[in-house]
């Protein structure tokens, strides 16, 4: 029977190749001569040996691991961002490790601690924001080269995210030109983006000569669709909406609100027979499949990922080269669909 190889020392013995050369191969295959590389790869196949990557990383000065931490991986927005980041990292020869905080401070702290123990080359993190343990997040970013995305908590070497003061005025202007000026539907904010979007709405309405009408509904956590539906049912039943045009703070709230309108027998859309117009923000992956499809402003997922990863790779290769923490703001695009 074929001998079971468990350690790199045993593999060196049976392959006849020195332990340092094998270690060098696993750190960087291109650093080993082609003929030696071929011998190692033939032996790997013959003995079905796979090294303990975590042990190798612990012995490196710089690992090939990149951590990705998001607040809630079940949110399709973050799932898509993580999918793109994961692929970019793998294409560059890194091994991504993905963590979700599940909307909880304790789990975010645990994720950062677990990631730091792996001595990653760098990290891409979207902090919870107002619910984060700021000291823990800051300590992590002081130890690990980090680019922050989506939620602009003042930590890390750079921030990449969408420009709310460009995107919100874009859709407010359209809604005001095409019908009744919108009210703004929000819930207690879970990260800094929510506050920025409300402030951007208020400024945009005032610039256009309209009174801002902000409605904050009850609800907490990340179950945005349920909150949008439950609170939308209440607002519609009690006739508490100050406008027939509703701009929701994010698409997930808007998806729930459209469901509430359907339950109340109200037609959502733009034109004859429609009782409400509904719009959102983000271009959530499900936004085009609501009934009717949701008018929104689209975050540029690819640009956010590309700039975040580029910033991190530069940081890993060159270290910190700027005194000021750069903030890269990506513009959004208006997406017109049937809901408004």
């Amino acid at each position: 029977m074929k001998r079971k190889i468990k350690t790199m020392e045993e593999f060196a013995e049976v392959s006849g190749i020195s332990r340092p050369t094998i270690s060098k191969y696993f750190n960087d295959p291109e650093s080993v001569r082609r003929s030696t590389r071929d011998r190692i790869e033939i032996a790997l196949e013959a003995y079905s040996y796979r090294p303990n990557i975590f042990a190798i990383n612990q012995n490196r000065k710089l690992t090939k691991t990149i951590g990705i931490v998001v607040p809630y991986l079940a949110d399709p927005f973050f799932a898509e961002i993580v999918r793109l980041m994961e692929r970019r990292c793998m294409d560059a020869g890194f091994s991504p490790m993905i963590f979700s905080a599940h909307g909880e401070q304790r789990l975010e702290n645990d994720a950062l601690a677990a990631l730091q123990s792996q001595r990653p080359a760098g990290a891409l993190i979207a902090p919870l924001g107002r619910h984060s343990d700021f000291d823990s997040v800051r300590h992590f970013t002081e130890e690990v080269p980090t680019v922050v995305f989506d939620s602009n908590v003042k930590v890390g070497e750079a921030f990449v995210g969408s420009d709310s003061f460009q995107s919100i005025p874009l859709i407010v202007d359209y809604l005001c030109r095409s019908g009744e000026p919108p009210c703004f539907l929000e819930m207690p904010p879970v990260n800094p983006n929510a506050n920025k979007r409300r402030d951007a709405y208020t400024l945009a309405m005032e610039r256009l000569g309209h009174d801002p009408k902000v409605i904050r509904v009850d609800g907490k956590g990340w179950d945005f669709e349920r909150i949008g539906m439950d609170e939308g049912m209440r607002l519609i039943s009690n006739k508490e909406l100050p406008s027939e045009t509703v701009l929701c703070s994010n698409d997930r709230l808007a998806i729930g609100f459209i469901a509430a309108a359907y339950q109340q027998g109200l037609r959502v859309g733009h034109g004859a027979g429609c009782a409400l117009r509904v719009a959102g923000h983000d271009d959530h992956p499900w936004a085009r499949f609501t009934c009717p499809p949701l008018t929104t402003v689209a975050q540029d997922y690819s640009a956010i990922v590309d700039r975040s990863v580029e910033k991190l790779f530069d940081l890993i290769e060159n270290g910190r080269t700027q005194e000021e923490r750069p903030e890269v703001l990506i513009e959004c695009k208006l997406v017109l669909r049937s809901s408004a």
Side-chain angles (χ1 to χ4, degrees):
M1 293 181 64
K2 187 188 298 185
R3 177 179 172 183
K4 179 67 175 176
I5 304 301
K6 297 181 179 179
T7 68
M8 201 175 294
E9 286 74 13
E10 292 178 355
F11 180 69
E13 178 188 340
V14 298
S15 66
I17 302 167
S18 72
R19 170 69 169 76
T21 300
I22 292 170
S23 179
K24 187 177 179 183
Y25 167 84
F26 285 124
N27 281 321
D28 180 9
E30 298 298 325
S31 67
V32 177
R33 279 187 298 181
R34 179 71 203 189
S35 58
T36 304
R37 192 160 71 241
D38 289 343
R39 288 176 58 203
I40 293 172
E41 289 170 359
I42 290 170
L44 287 173
E45 186 69 26
Y47 291 97
S48 300
Y49 173 67
R50 293 295 178 269
N52 183 331
I53 296 299
F54 292 112
I56 291 173
N57 281 345
Q58 292 300 318
N59 290 324
R60 284 177 174 172
K61 290 183 179 180
L62 178 65
T63 74
K64 298 294 284 184
T65 298
I66 287 181
I68 304 173
V69 183
V70 295
Y72 202 74
L73 191 55
D75 186 322
F77 169 79
F78 287 114
E80 179 63 8
I81 290 284
V82 167
R83 182 185 73 82
L84 295 171
M85 285 182 169
E86 182 181 32
R87 187 55 189 264
R88 281 292 309 272
C89 291
M90 290 191 297
D91 288 346
F94 290 92
S95 300
M97 295 184 69
I98 299 164
F99 297 85
S100 172
H102 298 278
E104 297 183 24
Q105 182 186 104
R106 175 182 61 83
L107 295 180
E108 181 175 73
N109 288 348
D110 289 348
L112 294 175
L115 177 56
Q116 188 173 345
S117 72
Q118 299 302 322
R119 299 173 60 201
L124 299 156
I125 69 171
L128 288 172
R130 61 184 297 145
H131 297 300
S132 290
D133 177 348
F134 184 77
D135 288 339
S136 293
V137 177
R138 182 178 58 194
H139 172 74
F140 175 86
T141 60
E142 288 172 349
E143 297 295 324
V144 177
T146 302
V147 171
V148 177
F149 67 96
D150 185 64
S151 181
N152 193 5
V153 176
K154 302 296 183 180
V155 295
E157 298 298 328
F159 167 76
V160 179
S162 293
D163 185 354
S164 295
F165 288 92
Q166 177 268 337
S167 60
I168 291 291
L170 192 66
I171 196 163
V172 168
D173 178 70
Y174 164 73
L175 293 172
C176 289
R177 285 189 289 105
S178 58
E180 187 175 6
C183 59
F184 186 79
L185 181 68
E186 67 170 6
M187 55 178 280
V190 296
N191 67 27
N193 291 331
N195 289 329
K196 289 180 180 177
R197 291 176 187 180
R198 184 210 319 118
D199 292 344
Y201 161 80
T202 299
L203 288 173
M205 290 286 283
E206 290 174 345
R207 278 197 209 102
L208 294 171
H210 302 296
D211 291 330
K213 298 179 176 65
V214 176
I215 305 170
R216 175 173 288 191
V217 298
D218 292 332
K220 61 181 181 178
W222 290 78
D223 196 3
F224 299 156
E225 292 87 358
R226 181 190 58 77
I227 293 168
M229 186 174 73
D230 290 349
E231 292 300 302
M233 293 274 286
R234 180 183 63 79
L235 291 168
I236 294 170
S237 297
N238 297 338
K239 301 186 183 333
E240 294 180 10
L241 289 173
S243 172
E244 293 176 354
T245 302
V246 181
L247 173 59
C248 298
S249 179
N250 61 65
D251 284 353
R252 292 183 61 192
L253 271 178
I255 290 169
F257 191 87
I258 287 175
Y262 176 82
Q263 294 290 336
Q264 293 290 321
L266 298 181
R267 184 177 177 184
V268 172
H270 190 280
C274 295
L276 289 170
R277 293 192 302 158
V278 179
H281 189 291
D282 293 337
D283 200 21
H284 186 287
W286 298 342
R288 70 188 64 189
F289 303 116
T290 58
C291 188
L294 182 64
T295 290
T296 186
V297 275
Q299 295 202 57
D300 191 335
Y301 292 60
S302 295
I304 292 171
V305 170
D306 288 346
R307 296 301 298 277
S308 298
V309 172
E310 287 165 7
K311 286 282 184 186
L312 183 61
F313 288 171
D314 181 64
L315 188 62
I316 292 170
E317 183 174 350
N318 300 313
R320 185 178 181 183
T321 58
Q322 302 178 73
E323 287 300 319
E324 293 186 4
R325 173 181 179 268
E327 296 185 358
V328 180
L329 299 180
I330 309 294
E331 290 193 352
C332 297
K333 180 177 68 174
L334 183 64
V335 179
L336 299 181
R337 299 191 181 107
S338 304
S339 72

